[in-house]
Each structure stands twice: as structure tokens, then as C-alpha cells.
Amino acid sequence: MYYGTGQVAESSQVDNYLGFAGINGYKLGEKFREHAISLGVEFKSGEVNEFEVSENGWKVLCSNGESIETKTVIYAAGAKHRHLEVEGEDTFAGKGVSYCATCDGAFFKDKETVVIGGGNTAMDDALYLSDLCSKVYLVHRRSEFRGSAKTLERIREKENIEIVTDAKIARIEGDTTVSGVVLEDGTKINAEGVFVAVGMIPQTEKVKGVLELDESGYVIADETGKTKTEGFFVAGDVRKKALRQIVTAVSDGANAAVSAAEWLSHQ
Ligand code: NAP
């Protein structure tokens, strides 16, 4: 059975993970997985419904009916794609609107596409799509980009990427599939694909009431991953922190594992 490696697999090119310059995200995720297996990590597939306090620690209740008894939990559920919440977005989801350029980009070969956002994801997506599509519009609501200057430089060198700044999307239009986007100033951009890359929302629904969350829903934990909840540790994008990158997620994982082991040794 195949076990996914998370959102790293969606990045066409990762430039900022030490020692692996320019590696494909899917390949990097596979390397992580294979390395973990070689060290004896056992993977199980299933969706967690709930965490319950038990006599020995925690009971992890899964949607397939299985329950796992454990003394500690390291929660690393990451974050999911934020939606634009404009007219047409839900109507055309999967009919031209996508949240993953590397997954769906091939459907728009030699076509015109729009990428929305100003972070590293939107910028990576624009670059990736520029090698497939006839034209890519990178539409951002401000004039300054949040993503890396190096990537922006590469984008500016691409003849088929047009940067549209200070532009907010009013709606996504189409008939049975997408035909384009309309900006708040009334400008219409014709495109068959719309890639929404406007950030992430932490996946903390299942730990509400179990873990302390900040105002945006991220888990509050110290740098060692320890939360205020006994036996519960967090790692990665789900944790409240300043920088969300693969390198910081990996560091979180190491910290949380050591922290959990130390906690166990004191029990
Ligand atoms: P992000 O950095 O939070 O950027 C989200 C972008 O979407 C921002 O430019 C934001 O605009 C814009 N936005 C948010 N809500 C919007 C709305 N309602 N309408 C229009 N625009 C909206 O998210 P991300 O790009 O997904 O990146 C997440 C993290 O992963 C970051 O730390 C990033 O560096 C990292 N990452 C790294 C790589 C890499 O290293 N290769 C690749 C992908 C992601 P404002 O700028 O105006 O707020």
C-alpha cells in the first residue's frame, strides 16, 4: 500500500532544503519515507477522528474503527489549502479551478492559466506552469511578493509569465468549465485554468479542546514541540512559528521525537 508523504510531494522544485538544491518535492518526500522505513518506522494508513485520554495516556480513534493506545502523540497534521472564497470558486473546482499545479498542470498544456497568490507556492506554481502553458498570469493582491526574491527573478525572466499586481479577484467565470477571472476593477483575464495558491489553514479541527491553539488555529508549543497537554507533542506547519519550510518542519520532528522520548523516560 502507498503512504503519502504530505504536501512536499506537490512542490515541483524545492530550492531551500539543505543539501538537495533543486530537488523535486515528490522525490524528496519519497527519500524521507524510505529513510524512516529503513530505521524501523512502521507506517499505518487511516484517518484519525478523535483523541481520548486513556488510562495509559492516549487513545487514538480512527474512522475505520481501529483505536491505538499510546503514551505519547506527535501531531504533525500540517495545513490545508486556503480558499479564495469568491463567486465561481466552488462551482468550478475540478473544472478549471485547482489548488495543486503539479497535480493538475498537465491538463492545461498549451493553454492560458492564472495563478493567484504572492507567496512561494504561487511563485513556484507560476514557474512550473510556464513550462507547460502558453501563458501564465500571476495575480497578486499587493505589489510586493512574500515569496523568495530568487524565484521572483526567475519569474521575471520568463517571457510567458505576466505579473499582475494590486489585483483582487472578484469572481471566476465560465460555462461548464472556467473561461477566466474578473478582477475587482472589472478587468477580465481569459484563462482555462485557475490555480489558487493563497496560503494554508492549520489542520487542527481534531485537536480542538485537546491542545491550546492560537487565534489563527495553530498549536501553541515550545521549540521542543511540547504542548501544555501531557504526552502531546507537535511538529511542522501545524505549530505556531515564524517560518514554515521543510527544513523547519524536519527540525520540529527531531525536537518533538527527542522531547517525547525524554518525557517517556520520566514517566
Ligand atoms: P503564504 O506564504 O502564506 O502566501 C500566501 C499568499 O496568498 C500571500 O501572498 C497572500 O497575500 C495571498 N493571499 C492570502 N489570502 C488571500 C486572499 N483571500 N486573496 C488573495 N490573496 C491572498 O503561503 P504559501 O505560498 O502557501 O507558503 C506557505 C509556506 O510554505 C511559506 O512559509 C512558504 O515559504 C513555504 N513554501 C516554500 C516553498 C519552497 O521553499 N520551494 C514552496 C512552497 C511553500 P499577502 O502577501 O498580501 O498576505
Side-chain angles (χ1 to χ4, degrees):
M1 181 184 279
Y2 174 75
Y3 302 102
T5 57
Q7 275 163 16
V8 65
E10 293 179 7
S11 238
S12 58
Q13 189 172 319
V14 177
D15 276 324
N16 59 357
Y17 188 66
L18 190 67
F20 292 87
I23 191 169
N24 169 275
Y26 179 85
K27 280 193 187 147
L28 184 61
E30 283 301 297
K31 280 182 184 289
F32 289 159
R33 193 175 63 89
E34 283 158 18
H35 195 169
I37 289 172
S38 77
L39 293 172
V41 173
E42 189 191 331
F43 282 73
K44 267 176 178 280
S45 179
E47 190 177 341
V48 172
N49 269 351
E50 213 180 325
F51 295 94
E52 232 177 56
V53 178
S54 74
E55 212 178 302
N56 293 319
W58 291 93
K59 201 184 257 187
V60 183
L61 305 169
C62 301
S63 56
N64 61 5
E66 197 180 344
S67 96
I68 302 163
E69 284 278 350
T70 178
K71 287 197 168 80
T72 61
V73 177
I74 298 178
Y75 189 75
K80 66 181 174 192
H81 300 288
R82 176 179 289 122
H83 285 203
L84 264 180
E85 290 176 13
V86 296
E87 190 186 323
E89 184 177 21
D90 289 346
T91 314
F92 295 111
K95 296 172 188 156
V97 172
S98 166
Y99 299 87
C100 177
T102 51
C103 315
D104 300 329
F107 297 123
F108 302 93
K109 196 169 185 315
D110 299 325
K111 295 186 171 146
E112 297 197 333
T113 52
V114 171
V115 175
I116 302 157
N120 275 318
T121 304
M123 288 163 61
D124 279 2
D125 286 359
L127 272 180
Y128 176 74
L129 291 169
S130 70
D131 289 334
L132 287 170
C133 305
S134 55
K135 170 118 190 180
V136 180
Y137 295 89
L138 175 59
V139 178
H140 180 34
R141 64 182 177 183
R142 291 188 300 131
S143 55
E144 276 162 29
F145 282 84
R146 197 176 279 278
S148 90
K150 189 180 159 203
T151 311
L152 187 58
E153 214 175 284
R154 286 169 62 205
I155 286 176
R156 291 198 196 282
E157 283 164 12
K158 287 276 182 173
E159 279 180 8
N160 65 341
I161 301 182
E162 185 173 331
I163 298 174
V164 184
T165 53
D166 299 302
K168 288 188 181 161
I169 307 291
R171 59 184 182 277
I172 299 169
E173 287 190 334
D175 184 4
T176 50
T177 57
V178 163
S179 65
V181 297
V182 178
L183 305 182
E184 279 187 358
D185 68 3
T187 309
K188 165 123 194 231
I189 300 175
N190 293 322
E192 287 178 57
V194 174
F195 290 86
V196 180
V198 296
M200 313 298 289
I201 296 173
Q203 309 224 74
T204 46
E205 276 299 311
K206 306 285 166 69
V207 290
K208 273 187 185 154
V210 175
L211 300 181
E212 188 187 7
L213 308 180
D214 75 357
E215 63 288 352
S216 306
Y218 289 95
V219 180
I220 297 174
D222 69 13
E223 166 183 357
T224 69
K226 193 172 188 299
T227 69
K228 280 189 181 157
T229 307
E230 281 295 293
F232 233 105
F233 302 82
V234 287
D237 283 8
V238 80
R239 183 169 82 88
K240 177 187 168 86
K241 58 181 182 172
L243 184 63
R244 292 194 174 81
Q245 289 188 346
I246 300 162
V247 68
T248 66
V250 168
S251 309
D252 275 4
N255 270 306
V258 169
S259 191
E262 270 174 16
W263 184 85
L264 279 172
S265 71
H266 289 109
Q267 294 307 298

